[in-house]
Amino acid sequence: MKILLLGVVGTLLIGCSAAPDLGLRDASDPRQESARVAYRPVLDDYQPRRPVEPQGWPQLNRRVAPGGGDQ
């Protein structure tokens, strides 16, 4: 029982300790530099797709199988 009580008290004391300094920047400091962000259009790598006729599932399974369906 004493060990359990010591464990509970120890856990509570650890929870009251100061938070460690993680080296994070202060977001409210206007003097901090920010990371550069480059503009990339949303549709930069867009490739239009056309509707196709449905295919049978065995043929589709062979095409996506490891080895490219060379069976």
Side-chain angles (χ1 to χ4, degrees):
M1 188 67 175
K2 289 181 182 182
I3 294 176
L4 179 63
L5 181 62
L6 287 174
V8 169
V9 170
T11 303
L12 290 174
L13 288 176
I14 289 174
C16 294
S17 65
D21 180 22
L22 300 176
L24 300 176
R25 298 179 185 170
D26 182 13
S28 64
D29 186 3
R31 294 172 289 162
Q32 289 288 336
E33 292 184 16
S34 60
R36 300 287 178 221
V37 179
Y39 174 75
R40 237 181 74 202
V42 175
L43 300 175
D44 194 26
D45 59 349
Y46 171 73
Q47 296 176 355
R49 307 279 187 204
R50 305 293 299 172
V52 295
E53 291 296 318
Q55 298 176 354
W57 64 266
Q59 180 183 3
L60 293 173
N61 281 350
R62 274 187 247 113
R63 190 170 60 187
V64 297
D70 297 331
Q71 299 174 355

Short mmCIF file of all heavy atoms in Angstrom, two decimals:
data_model
loop_
_atom_site.label_atom_id
_atom_site.label_comp_id
_atom_site.label_asym_id
_atom_site.label_seq_id
_atom_site.Cartn_x
_atom_site.Cartn_y
_atom_site.Cartn_z
N MET A 1 0.82 -1.19 0.00
CA MET A 1 0.00 0.00 0.00
C MET A 1 0.86 1.25 0.00
O MET A 1 0.52 2.24 -0.64
CB MET A 1 -0.92 -0.05 1.23
CG MET A 1 -1.95 1.02 1.25
SD MET A 1 -3.08 0.72 -0.10
CE MET A 1 -4.27 1.95 0.18
N LYS A 2 1.99 1.18 0.74
CA LYS A 2 2.88 2.34 0.81
C LYS A 2 3.51 2.62 -0.56
O LYS A 2 3.68 3.77 -0.94
CB LYS A 2 3.98 2.11 1.85
CG LYS A 2 3.48 2.15 3.26
CD LYS A 2 4.62 1.94 4.22
CE LYS A 2 4.11 1.91 5.65
NZ LYS A 2 5.21 1.76 6.61
N ILE A 3 3.82 1.54 -1.28
CA ILE A 3 4.43 1.71 -2.60
C ILE A 3 3.44 2.36 -3.56
O ILE A 3 3.80 3.25 -4.33
CB ILE A 3 4.91 0.35 -3.15
CG1 ILE A 3 6.06 -0.18 -2.28
CG2 ILE A 3 5.35 0.46 -4.59
CD1 ILE A 3 6.54 -1.55 -2.67
N LEU A 4 2.20 1.96 -3.48
CA LEU A 4 1.17 2.55 -4.33
C LEU A 4 1.00 4.03 -4.00
O LEU A 4 0.90 4.87 -4.90
CB LEU A 4 -0.16 1.82 -4.14
CG LEU A 4 -1.34 2.36 -4.94
CD1 LEU A 4 -1.07 2.22 -6.43
CD2 LEU A 4 -2.62 1.65 -4.56
N LEU A 5 0.99 4.36 -2.72
CA LEU A 5 0.85 5.75 -2.30
C LEU A 5 2.05 6.59 -2.79
O LEU A 5 1.87 7.70 -3.29
CB LEU A 5 0.73 5.84 -0.77
CG LEU A 5 0.56 7.24 -0.20
CD1 LEU A 5 -0.73 7.86 -0.71
CD2 LEU A 5 0.59 7.19 1.31
N LEU A 6 3.26 6.04 -2.68
CA LEU A 6 4.44 6.75 -3.16
C LEU A 6 4.38 6.94 -4.68
O LEU A 6 4.78 7.99 -5.21
CB LEU A 6 5.71 6.00 -2.79
CG LEU A 6 6.11 6.06 -1.32
CD1 LEU A 6 7.30 5.15 -1.07
CD2 LEU A 6 6.43 7.49 -0.91
N GLY A 7 3.88 5.95 -5.38
CA GLY A 7 3.75 6.06 -6.83
C GLY A 7 2.76 7.15 -7.23
O GLY A 7 3.01 7.93 -8.15
N VAL A 8 1.64 7.23 -6.53
CA VAL A 8 0.63 8.24 -6.83
C VAL A 8 1.17 9.63 -6.52
O VAL A 8 1.03 10.57 -7.32
CB VAL A 8 -0.67 7.96 -6.05
CG1 VAL A 8 -1.63 9.13 -6.13
CG2 VAL A 8 -1.32 6.69 -6.56
N VAL A 9 1.82 9.78 -5.36
CA VAL A 9 2.38 11.09 -4.99
C VAL A 9 3.47 11.50 -5.98
O VAL A 9 3.54 12.65 -6.41
CB VAL A 9 2.91 11.05 -3.54
CG1 VAL A 9 3.72 12.29 -3.23
CG2 VAL A 9 1.77 10.89 -2.57
N GLY A 10 4.32 10.55 -6.37
CA GLY A 10 5.38 10.85 -7.34
C GLY A 10 4.82 11.28 -8.68
O GLY A 10 5.30 12.22 -9.31
N THR A 11 3.78 10.61 -9.13
CA THR A 11 3.15 10.97 -10.40
C THR A 11 2.54 12.36 -10.33
O THR A 11 2.66 13.15 -11.29
CB THR A 11 2.06 9.94 -10.75
OG1 THR A 11 2.65 8.65 -10.81
CG2 THR A 11 1.42 10.26 -12.09
N LEU A 12 1.91 12.69 -9.22
CA LEU A 12 1.32 14.02 -9.08
C LEU A 12 2.40 15.10 -9.04
O LEU A 12 2.22 16.18 -9.61
CB LEU A 12 0.46 14.09 -7.81
CG LEU A 12 -0.83 13.28 -7.86
CD1 LEU A 12 -1.51 13.30 -6.50
CD2 LEU A 12 -1.75 13.79 -8.94
N LEU A 13 3.50 14.82 -8.41
CA LEU A 13 4.58 15.82 -8.35
C LEU A 13 5.23 16.01 -9.72
O LEU A 13 5.60 17.13 -10.07
CB LEU A 13 5.62 15.40 -7.31
CG LEU A 13 5.18 15.52 -5.85
CD1 LEU A 13 6.27 14.99 -4.94
CD2 LEU A 13 4.85 16.96 -5.51
N ILE A 14 5.37 14.96 -10.47
CA ILE A 14 5.94 15.09 -11.82
C ILE A 14 5.02 15.93 -12.69
O ILE A 14 5.47 16.74 -13.50
CB ILE A 14 6.18 13.69 -12.43
CG1 ILE A 14 7.34 13.01 -11.73
CG2 ILE A 14 6.44 13.80 -13.93
CD1 ILE A 14 7.57 11.59 -12.15
N GLY A 15 3.72 15.78 -12.53
CA GLY A 15 2.76 16.56 -13.30
C GLY A 15 2.80 18.05 -12.97
O GLY A 15 2.39 18.88 -13.77
N CYS A 16 3.32 18.40 -11.80
CA CYS A 16 3.40 19.80 -11.40
C CYS A 16 4.71 20.46 -11.83
O CYS A 16 4.89 21.66 -11.61
CB CYS A 16 3.26 19.93 -9.88
SG CYS A 16 1.64 19.43 -9.29
N SER A 17 5.62 19.71 -12.41
CA SER A 17 6.91 20.29 -12.79
C SER A 17 6.74 21.19 -14.01
O SER A 17 5.75 21.13 -14.73
CB SER A 17 7.92 19.18 -13.10
OG SER A 17 7.50 18.47 -14.24
N ALA A 18 7.73 22.03 -14.25
CA ALA A 18 7.69 22.98 -15.37
C ALA A 18 7.81 22.22 -16.69
O ALA A 18 8.47 21.19 -16.78
CB ALA A 18 8.82 23.98 -15.24
N ALA A 19 7.17 22.73 -17.70
CA ALA A 19 7.23 22.11 -19.03
C ALA A 19 8.63 22.29 -19.60
O ALA A 19 9.25 23.35 -19.45
CB ALA A 19 6.20 22.75 -19.95
N PRO A 20 9.16 21.28 -20.26
CA PRO A 20 10.50 21.39 -20.84
C PRO A 20 10.52 22.36 -22.02
O PRO A 20 9.52 22.54 -22.71
CB PRO A 20 10.80 19.97 -21.31
CG PRO A 20 9.47 19.35 -21.54
CD PRO A 20 8.55 19.98 -20.54
N ASP A 21 11.68 22.97 -22.24
CA ASP A 21 11.85 23.88 -23.37
C ASP A 21 12.10 23.04 -24.61
O ASP A 21 13.12 22.37 -24.73
CB ASP A 21 13.02 24.82 -23.12
CG ASP A 21 13.24 25.78 -24.27
OD1 ASP A 21 12.28 26.01 -25.03
OD2 ASP A 21 14.37 26.29 -24.40
N LEU A 22 11.16 23.06 -25.53
CA LEU A 22 11.27 22.24 -26.74
C LEU A 22 11.89 22.98 -27.90
O LEU A 22 11.98 22.46 -29.00
CB LEU A 22 9.88 21.72 -27.13
CG LEU A 22 9.18 20.85 -26.09
CD1 LEU A 22 7.79 20.49 -26.56
CD2 LEU A 22 9.99 19.61 -25.81
N GLY A 23 12.30 24.21 -27.67
CA GLY A 23 12.93 24.99 -28.73
C GLY A 23 11.93 25.49 -29.76
O GLY A 23 12.30 25.77 -30.90
N LEU A 24 10.68 25.59 -29.39
CA LEU A 24 9.66 26.06 -30.33
C LEU A 24 9.69 27.58 -30.42
O LEU A 24 10.05 28.27 -29.48
CB LEU A 24 8.27 25.61 -29.87
CG LEU A 24 8.09 24.10 -29.77
CD1 LEU A 24 6.71 23.78 -29.22
CD2 LEU A 24 8.28 23.45 -31.11
N ARG A 25 9.30 28.09 -31.56
CA ARG A 25 9.27 29.53 -31.77
C ARG A 25 8.00 30.13 -31.18
O ARG A 25 6.97 29.47 -31.10
CB ARG A 25 9.32 29.85 -33.25
CG ARG A 25 10.57 29.37 -33.91
CD ARG A 25 10.52 29.70 -35.37
NE ARG A 25 11.67 29.14 -36.04
CZ ARG A 25 11.81 29.10 -37.32
NH1 ARG A 25 10.88 29.61 -38.10
NH2 ARG A 25 12.88 28.58 -37.86
N ASP A 26 8.09 31.38 -30.80
CA ASP A 26 6.92 32.09 -30.30
C ASP A 26 6.17 32.66 -31.50
O ASP A 26 6.67 33.52 -32.22
CB ASP A 26 7.37 33.21 -29.35
CG ASP A 26 6.20 33.95 -28.76
OD1 ASP A 26 5.07 33.45 -28.88
OD2 ASP A 26 6.43 35.02 -28.16
N ALA A 27 4.96 32.17 -31.73
CA ALA A 27 4.19 32.59 -32.91
C ALA A 27 3.77 34.05 -32.85
O ALA A 27 3.47 34.65 -33.87
CB ALA A 27 2.96 31.70 -33.05
N SER A 28 3.77 34.64 -31.67
CA SER A 28 3.33 36.03 -31.56
C SER A 28 4.49 37.02 -31.74
O SER A 28 4.26 38.22 -31.72
CB SER A 28 2.68 36.26 -30.20
OG SER A 28 3.63 36.07 -29.16
N ASP A 29 5.70 36.53 -31.93
CA ASP A 29 6.87 37.41 -32.09
C ASP A 29 7.00 37.81 -33.56
O ASP A 29 7.31 36.98 -34.41
CB ASP A 29 8.13 36.69 -31.62
CG ASP A 29 9.35 37.60 -31.62
OD1 ASP A 29 9.20 38.80 -31.92
OD2 ASP A 29 10.45 37.10 -31.32
N PRO A 30 6.78 39.09 -33.91
CA PRO A 30 6.84 39.50 -35.32
C PRO A 30 8.26 39.49 -35.89
O PRO A 30 8.44 39.56 -37.10
CB PRO A 30 6.26 40.91 -35.31
CG PRO A 30 6.46 41.40 -33.93
CD PRO A 30 6.41 40.19 -33.03
N ARG A 31 9.27 39.38 -35.05
CA ARG A 31 10.65 39.36 -35.55
C ARG A 31 11.08 37.98 -36.02
O ARG A 31 12.14 37.84 -36.63
CB ARG A 31 11.59 39.85 -34.45
CG ARG A 31 11.35 41.34 -34.11
CD ARG A 31 12.14 41.74 -32.91
NE ARG A 31 11.52 41.07 -31.75
CZ ARG A 31 12.10 40.89 -30.58
NH1 ARG A 31 13.31 41.30 -30.37
NH2 ARG A 31 11.46 40.30 -29.59
N GLN A 32 10.31 36.97 -35.74
CA GLN A 32 10.65 35.61 -36.15
C GLN A 32 10.53 35.48 -37.66
O GLN A 32 9.60 35.98 -38.27
CB GLN A 32 9.72 34.60 -35.49
CG GLN A 32 9.95 34.43 -34.02
CD GLN A 32 11.24 33.69 -33.71
OE1 GLN A 32 11.74 32.93 -34.53
NE2 GLN A 32 11.77 33.96 -32.55
N GLU A 33 11.47 34.78 -38.25
CA GLU A 33 11.40 34.52 -39.69
C GLU A 33 10.46 33.36 -39.94
O GLU A 33 10.35 32.44 -39.13
CB GLU A 33 12.78 34.18 -40.23
CG GLU A 33 13.75 35.35 -40.20
CD GLU A 33 15.08 34.98 -40.84
OE1 GLU A 33 15.13 33.96 -41.55
OE2 GLU A 33 16.04 35.71 -40.61
N SER A 34 9.79 33.38 -41.06
CA SER A 34 8.91 32.28 -41.42
C SER A 34 9.52 31.51 -42.59
O SER A 34 10.36 32.02 -43.33
CB SER A 34 7.53 32.81 -41.81
OG SER A 34 7.64 33.67 -42.91
N ALA A 35 9.09 30.29 -42.74
CA ALA A 35 9.59 29.46 -43.83
C ALA A 35 9.05 29.99 -45.17
O ALA A 35 7.91 30.42 -45.26
CB ALA A 35 9.14 28.02 -43.64
N ARG A 36 9.88 29.92 -46.18
CA ARG A 36 9.47 30.36 -47.50
C ARG A 36 8.55 29.32 -48.12
O ARG A 36 8.81 28.12 -48.04
CB ARG A 36 10.69 30.56 -48.40
CG ARG A 36 11.66 31.59 -47.88
CD ARG A 36 11.09 32.98 -48.04
NE ARG A 36 12.00 33.97 -47.48
CZ ARG A 36 11.64 35.00 -46.78
NH1 ARG A 36 10.37 35.21 -46.54
NH2 ARG A 36 12.50 35.86 -46.31
N VAL A 37 7.51 29.79 -48.75
CA VAL A 37 6.54 28.89 -49.38
C VAL A 37 6.45 29.27 -50.85
O VAL A 37 6.23 30.43 -51.18
CB VAL A 37 5.16 29.02 -48.71
CG1 VAL A 37 4.16 28.11 -49.39
CG2 VAL A 37 5.26 28.69 -47.23
N ALA A 38 6.62 28.28 -51.71
CA ALA A 38 6.52 28.53 -53.15
C ALA A 38 5.10 28.23 -53.62
O ALA A 38 4.45 27.30 -53.12
CB ALA A 38 7.51 27.64 -53.90
N TYR A 39 4.63 28.99 -54.58
CA TYR A 39 3.29 28.79 -55.13
C TYR A 39 3.30 27.60 -56.07
O TYR A 39 4.18 27.49 -56.94
CB TYR A 39 2.82 30.04 -55.86
CG TYR A 39 1.51 29.83 -56.58
CD1 TYR A 39 0.32 29.77 -55.87
CD2 TYR A 39 1.46 29.67 -57.95
CE1 TYR A 39 -0.89 29.57 -56.51
CE2 TYR A 39 0.27 29.47 -58.61
CZ TYR A 39 -0.90 29.41 -57.88
OH TYR A 39 -2.08 29.20 -58.52
N ARG A 40 2.36 26.70 -55.90
CA ARG A 40 2.18 25.57 -56.81
C ARG A 40 0.73 25.49 -57.19
O ARG A 40 -0.13 25.31 -56.33
CB ARG A 40 2.58 24.28 -56.10
CG ARG A 40 3.66 23.52 -56.84
CD ARG A 40 4.04 22.25 -56.16
NE ARG A 40 2.99 21.25 -56.34
CZ ARG A 40 2.83 20.21 -55.55
NH1 ARG A 40 3.61 20.03 -54.53
NH2 ARG A 40 1.86 19.36 -55.77
N PRO A 41 0.39 25.65 -58.47
CA PRO A 41 -1.01 25.60 -58.88
C PRO A 41 -1.65 24.25 -58.53
O PRO A 41 -1.00 23.20 -58.60
CB PRO A 41 -0.96 25.78 -60.39
CG PRO A 41 0.37 26.36 -60.69
CD PRO A 41 1.29 25.90 -59.60
N VAL A 42 -2.90 24.28 -58.19
CA VAL A 42 -3.61 23.07 -57.81
C VAL A 42 -3.71 22.11 -58.99
O VAL A 42 -3.58 20.90 -58.84
CB VAL A 42 -5.02 23.44 -57.29
CG1 VAL A 42 -5.83 22.19 -57.01
CG2 VAL A 42 -4.92 24.31 -56.06
N LEU A 43 -3.93 22.63 -60.16
CA LEU A 43 -4.10 21.78 -61.35
C LEU A 43 -2.80 21.59 -62.12
O LEU A 43 -2.84 21.30 -63.33
CB LEU A 43 -5.18 22.39 -62.25
CG LEU A 43 -6.56 22.55 -61.60
CD1 LEU A 43 -7.50 23.27 -62.53
CD2 LEU A 43 -7.11 21.21 -61.20
N ASP A 44 -1.68 21.70 -61.46
CA ASP A 44 -0.38 21.63 -62.14
C ASP A 44 -0.17 20.29 -62.83
O ASP A 44 0.28 20.23 -63.97
CB ASP A 44 0.74 21.88 -61.12
CG ASP A 44 2.06 22.15 -61.77
OD1 ASP A 44 2.07 22.62 -62.93
OD2 ASP A 44 3.10 21.90 -61.13
N ASP A 45 -0.47 19.19 -62.18
CA ASP A 45 -0.23 17.87 -62.77
C ASP A 45 -1.54 17.18 -63.18
O ASP A 45 -1.63 15.96 -63.20
CB ASP A 45 0.56 16.99 -61.81
CG ASP A 45 -0.14 16.80 -60.49
OD1 ASP A 45 -1.13 17.50 -60.23
OD2 ASP A 45 0.30 15.93 -59.71
N TYR A 46 -2.53 17.96 -63.53
CA TYR A 46 -3.84 17.42 -63.92
C TYR A 46 -3.74 16.68 -65.25
O TYR A 46 -3.13 17.17 -66.20
CB TYR A 46 -4.86 18.55 -64.03
CG TYR A 46 -6.17 18.12 -64.63
CD1 TYR A 46 -7.06 17.35 -63.91
CD2 TYR A 46 -6.51 18.48 -65.93
CE1 TYR A 46 -8.26 16.94 -64.45
CE2 TYR A 46 -7.71 18.09 -66.48
CZ TYR A 46 -8.58 17.31 -65.74
OH TYR A 46 -9.77 16.91 -66.29
N GLN A 47 -4.32 15.49 -65.29
CA GLN A 47 -4.39 14.72 -66.53
C GLN A 47 -5.85 14.35 -66.75
O GLN A 47 -6.45 13.65 -65.94
CB GLN A 47 -3.55 13.45 -66.43
CG GLN A 47 -2.08 13.72 -66.28
CD GLN A 47 -1.30 12.44 -66.09
OE1 GLN A 47 -1.86 11.36 -65.98
NE2 GLN A 47 0.01 12.57 -66.05
N PRO A 48 -6.46 14.84 -67.84
CA PRO A 48 -7.87 14.53 -68.07
C PRO A 48 -8.09 13.03 -68.31
O PRO A 48 -7.25 12.36 -68.91
CB PRO A 48 -8.22 15.34 -69.31
CG PRO A 48 -6.93 15.64 -69.97
CD PRO A 48 -5.88 15.64 -68.89
N ARG A 49 -9.17 12.52 -67.83
CA ARG A 49 -9.53 11.11 -67.99
C ARG A 49 -10.82 11.01 -68.80
O ARG A 49 -11.73 11.80 -68.63
CB ARG A 49 -9.75 10.44 -66.63
CG ARG A 49 -8.62 10.62 -65.66
CD ARG A 49 -7.53 9.65 -65.94
NE ARG A 49 -6.53 9.75 -64.88
CZ ARG A 49 -5.30 9.41 -65.03
NH1 ARG A 49 -4.89 8.93 -66.17
NH2 ARG A 49 -4.45 9.53 -64.04
N ARG A 50 -10.86 10.04 -69.67
CA ARG A 50 -12.04 9.82 -70.49
C ARG A 50 -12.76 8.57 -69.98
O ARG A 50 -12.12 7.62 -69.54
CB ARG A 50 -11.65 9.63 -71.95
CG ARG A 50 -10.82 10.75 -72.55
CD ARG A 50 -11.55 12.04 -72.67
NE ARG A 50 -12.70 11.91 -73.55
CZ ARG A 50 -13.60 12.85 -73.72
NH1 ARG A 50 -13.48 13.99 -73.11
NH2 ARG A 50 -14.61 12.66 -74.51
N PRO A 51 -14.08 8.53 -70.08
CA PRO A 51 -14.82 7.33 -69.68
C PRO A 51 -14.46 6.15 -70.58
O PRO A 51 -14.22 6.32 -71.78
CB PRO A 51 -16.29 7.71 -69.86
CG PRO A 51 -16.32 9.19 -69.99
CD PRO A 51 -14.97 9.62 -70.46
N VAL A 52 -14.41 4.98 -70.01
CA VAL A 52 -14.11 3.76 -70.77
C VAL A 52 -15.19 2.72 -70.47
O VAL A 52 -15.91 2.82 -69.49
CB VAL A 52 -12.72 3.18 -70.42
CG1 VAL A 52 -11.62 4.14 -70.82
CG2 VAL A 52 -12.64 2.85 -68.95
N GLU A 53 -15.25 1.73 -71.32
CA GLU A 53 -16.21 0.65 -71.13
C GLU A 53 -15.75 -0.22 -69.95
O GLU A 53 -14.56 -0.41 -69.75
CB GLU A 53 -16.30 -0.20 -72.40
CG GLU A 53 -16.94 0.52 -73.57
CD GLU A 53 -18.39 0.87 -73.29
OE1 GLU A 53 -19.11 0.03 -72.73
OE2 GLU A 53 -18.79 2.00 -73.62
N PRO A 54 -16.69 -0.77 -69.21
CA PRO A 54 -16.32 -1.66 -68.11
C PRO A 54 -15.62 -2.92 -68.63
O PRO A 54 -15.95 -3.41 -69.72
CB PRO A 54 -17.66 -2.02 -67.45
CG PRO A 54 -18.67 -1.13 -68.04
CD PRO A 54 -18.12 -0.55 -69.29
N GLN A 55 -14.69 -3.43 -67.85
CA GLN A 55 -13.97 -4.65 -68.22
C GLN A 55 -14.27 -5.71 -67.18
O GLN A 55 -14.71 -5.41 -66.07
CB GLN A 55 -12.47 -4.38 -68.28
CG GLN A 55 -12.09 -3.37 -69.34
CD GLN A 55 -10.62 -3.06 -69.30
OE1 GLN A 55 -9.89 -3.50 -68.43
NE2 GLN A 55 -10.16 -2.29 -70.27
N GLY A 56 -13.98 -6.93 -67.52
CA GLY A 56 -14.21 -8.04 -66.60
C GLY A 56 -13.20 -8.01 -65.45
O GLY A 56 -12.06 -7.58 -65.62
N TRP A 57 -13.63 -8.46 -64.27
CA TRP A 57 -12.73 -8.39 -63.11
C TRP A 57 -11.52 -9.29 -63.24
O TRP A 57 -10.44 -8.93 -62.75
CB TRP A 57 -13.50 -8.64 -61.81
CG TRP A 57 -14.09 -10.01 -61.66
CD1 TRP A 57 -15.34 -10.39 -61.98
CD2 TRP A 57 -13.42 -11.15 -61.14
NE1 TRP A 57 -15.51 -11.72 -61.71
CE2 TRP A 57 -14.36 -12.20 -61.18
CE3 TRP A 57 -12.16 -11.42 -60.66
CZ2 TRP A 57 -14.04 -13.49 -60.76
CZ3 TRP A 57 -11.85 -12.69 -60.23
CH2 TRP A 57 -12.79 -13.71 -60.28
N PRO A 58 -11.58 -10.48 -63.89
CA PRO A 58 -10.34 -11.28 -64.01
C PRO A 58 -9.25 -10.54 -64.81
O PRO A 58 -8.07 -10.57 -64.47
CB PRO A 58 -10.78 -12.54 -64.73
CG PRO A 58 -12.25 -12.64 -64.48
CD PRO A 58 -12.73 -11.23 -64.41
N GLN A 59 -9.66 -9.85 -65.87
CA GLN A 59 -8.69 -9.11 -66.68
C GLN A 59 -8.08 -7.97 -65.87
O GLN A 59 -6.87 -7.73 -65.90
CB GLN A 59 -9.37 -8.57 -67.93
CG GLN A 59 -8.46 -7.78 -68.82
CD GLN A 59 -9.21 -7.19 -70.01
OE1 GLN A 59 -10.41 -7.33 -70.13
NE2 GLN A 59 -8.48 -6.52 -70.88
N LEU A 60 -8.90 -7.25 -65.10
CA LEU A 60 -8.39 -6.15 -64.29
C LEU A 60 -7.45 -6.67 -63.19
O LEU A 60 -6.42 -6.06 -62.90
CB LEU A 60 -9.54 -5.37 -63.66
CG LEU A 60 -10.43 -4.60 -64.63
CD1 LEU A 60 -11.63 -4.02 -63.91
CD2 LEU A 60 -9.63 -3.49 -65.30
N ASN A 61 -7.79 -7.79 -62.58
CA ASN A 61 -6.93 -8.37 -61.55
C ASN A 61 -5.57 -8.76 -62.12
O ASN A 61 -4.54 -8.56 -61.48
CB ASN A 61 -7.60 -9.58 -60.90
CG ASN A 61 -8.63 -9.18 -59.89
OD1 ASN A 61 -8.74 -8.02 -59.52
ND2 ASN A 61 -9.41 -10.16 -59.43
N ARG A 62 -5.56 -9.36 -63.31
CA ARG A 62 -4.29 -9.74 -63.91
C ARG A 62 -3.42 -8.53 -64.22
O ARG A 62 -2.21 -8.56 -64.09
CB ARG A 62 -4.54 -10.53 -65.20
CG ARG A 62 -4.72 -12.00 -64.93
CD ARG A 62 -4.80 -12.80 -66.22
NE ARG A 62 -6.18 -13.30 -66.29
CZ ARG A 62 -7.09 -12.93 -67.18
NH1 ARG A 62 -6.79 -12.09 -68.13
NH2 ARG A 62 -8.31 -13.43 -67.14
N ARG A 63 -4.06 -7.42 -64.63
CA ARG A 63 -3.31 -6.23 -65.00
C ARG A 63 -2.64 -5.56 -63.78
O ARG A 63 -1.57 -5.02 -63.89
CB ARG A 63 -4.22 -5.22 -65.70
CG ARG A 63 -3.46 -4.08 -66.31
CD ARG A 63 -4.32 -3.23 -67.19
NE ARG A 63 -5.41 -2.67 -66.40
CZ ARG A 63 -6.41 -1.99 -66.92
NH1 ARG A 63 -6.47 -1.79 -68.21
NH2 ARG A 63 -7.35 -1.50 -66.17
N VAL A 64 -3.28 -5.63 -62.60
CA VAL A 64 -2.71 -4.97 -61.42
C VAL A 64 -1.93 -5.94 -60.54
O VAL A 64 -1.40 -5.55 -59.50
CB VAL A 64 -3.80 -4.28 -60.58
CG1 VAL A 64 -4.45 -3.18 -61.38
CG2 VAL A 64 -4.81 -5.26 -60.04
N ALA A 65 -1.83 -7.20 -60.95
CA ALA A 65 -1.11 -8.20 -60.14
C ALA A 65 0.38 -7.89 -60.14
O ALA A 65 0.90 -7.28 -61.09
CB ALA A 65 -1.37 -9.59 -60.71
N PRO A 66 1.10 -8.31 -59.11
CA PRO A 66 2.56 -8.14 -59.10
C PRO A 66 3.17 -8.82 -60.33
O PRO A 66 2.79 -9.92 -60.70
CB PRO A 66 3.01 -8.83 -57.82
CG PRO A 66 1.81 -8.85 -56.94
CD PRO A 66 0.63 -8.93 -57.88
N GLY A 67 4.09 -8.17 -60.95
CA GLY A 67 4.70 -8.69 -62.17
C GLY A 67 4.00 -8.21 -63.42
O GLY A 67 4.35 -8.61 -64.52
N GLY A 68 3.00 -7.35 -63.29
CA GLY A 68 2.34 -6.76 -64.44
C GLY A 68 1.40 -7.70 -65.17
O GLY A 68 1.02 -7.45 -66.30
N GLY A 69 1.04 -8.84 -64.57
CA GLY A 69 0.10 -9.74 -65.21
C GLY A 69 0.72 -10.61 -66.27
O GLY A 69 0.05 -11.10 -67.14
N ASP A 70 2.03 -10.84 -66.21
CA ASP A 70 2.71 -11.69 -67.18
C ASP A 70 2.57 -13.15 -66.74
O ASP A 70 3.53 -13.83 -66.42
CB ASP A 70 4.20 -11.32 -67.29
CG ASP A 70 4.38 -9.91 -67.80
OD1 ASP A 70 3.51 -9.45 -68.55
OD2 ASP A 70 5.38 -9.29 -67.44
N GLN A 71 1.36 -13.67 -66.77
CA GLN A 71 1.14 -15.05 -66.31
C GLN A 71 0.74 -15.93 -67.44
O GLN A 71 0.07 -15.62 -68.34
CB GLN A 71 0.07 -15.08 -65.22
CG GLN A 71 0.48 -14.26 -64.02
CD GLN A 71 -0.66 -14.17 -62.99
OE1 GLN A 71 -1.76 -14.62 -63.20
NE2 GLN A 71 -0.35 -13.55 -61.87
#
